[in-house]
Amino acid sequence: MKISENTSVSMPMKNMIGIIVAVAMGVFAYTEVTSRLTSLETSRELFQADLLKKSEQLPTDQEQFMLLEDLYKTVEKIEKRIEDMMHNKVNIQFLTKQMEKALADIEELKDKVRANGNGHGWVGRRIINDC
């Protein structure tokens, strides 16, 4: 088979129109995709520029944010201390009641020893003298 400038190809007109329409649709789809990509890239760039512009802070704003952060940390420490103090108060109240009961028991024992007199020997004198 020899192919040259004068070689002719015969094709039905229906197929030729189909090929031309398919190529035209492909070109149209390509331009639509590229325009959509360009639009999205532009909107992304504008969004980033706005975000950077809004994120710029004055030195006074930065100082205020640092002070607020420090205040939050201080408040958290104070809250923890208050919580610990509440637990200490409960423990102190419990121990105070226990100590009052122990003192009452000691006084009761002293009274019993005194009521029995000094006739119980060295153990009785030792209990009285230690208290």
Side-chain angles (χ1 to χ4, degrees), residues 39-49:
S39 171
L40 289 173
E41 287 176 351
T42 304
S43 66
R44 185 191 64 172
E45 292 296 325
L46 290 173
F47 177 74
Q48 284 180 345

Side-chain angles (χ1 to χ4, degrees), residues 41-72:
E41 287 176 351
T42 304
S43 66
R44 185 191 64 172
E45 292 296 325
L46 290 173
F47 177 74
Q48 284 180 345
D50 287 343
L51 187 62
L52 288 174
K53 190 174 184 181
K54 288 181 181 179
S55 71
E56 292 175 359
Q57 299 173 353
L58 299 173
T60 55
D61 291 340
Q62 291 175 345
E63 184 178 354
Q64 288 174 352
F65 287 132
M66 287 174 39
L67 288 172
L68 282 173
E69 187 176 333
D70 183 56
L71 284 173
Y72 279 120

Side-chain angles (χ1 to χ4, degrees), residues 103-118 120 124 127-128 131:
L103 288 173
D105 290 346
I106 289 171
E107 285 299 321
E108 185 180 328
L109 287 173
K110 280 184 180 179
D111 290 341
K112 285 182 182 179
V113 169
R114 287 184 195 127
N116 286 337
N118 291 337
H120 288 287
I127 291 174
I128 293 173
C131 296

Side-chain angles (χ1 to χ4, degrees), residues 9-63:
V9 176
S10 64
M11 179 185 308
M13 192 62 117
K14 183 179 172 185
N15 289 349
M16 177 86 101
I17 292 173
I19 291 173
I20 291 173
V21 168
V23 168
M25 287 176 62
V27 169
F28 179 75
Y30 175 78
T31 57
E32 287 296 314
V33 168
T34 55
S35 75
R36 180 70 178 145
L37 282 174
T38 304
S39 171
L40 289 173
E41 287 176 351
T42 304
S43 66
R44 185 191 64 172
E45 292 296 325
L46 290 173
F47 177 74
Q48 284 180 345
D50 287 343
L51 187 62
L52 288 174
K53 190 174 184 181
K54 288 181 181 179
S55 71
E56 292 175 359
Q57 299 173 353
L58 299 173
T60 55
D61 291 340
Q62 291 175 345
E63 184 178 354

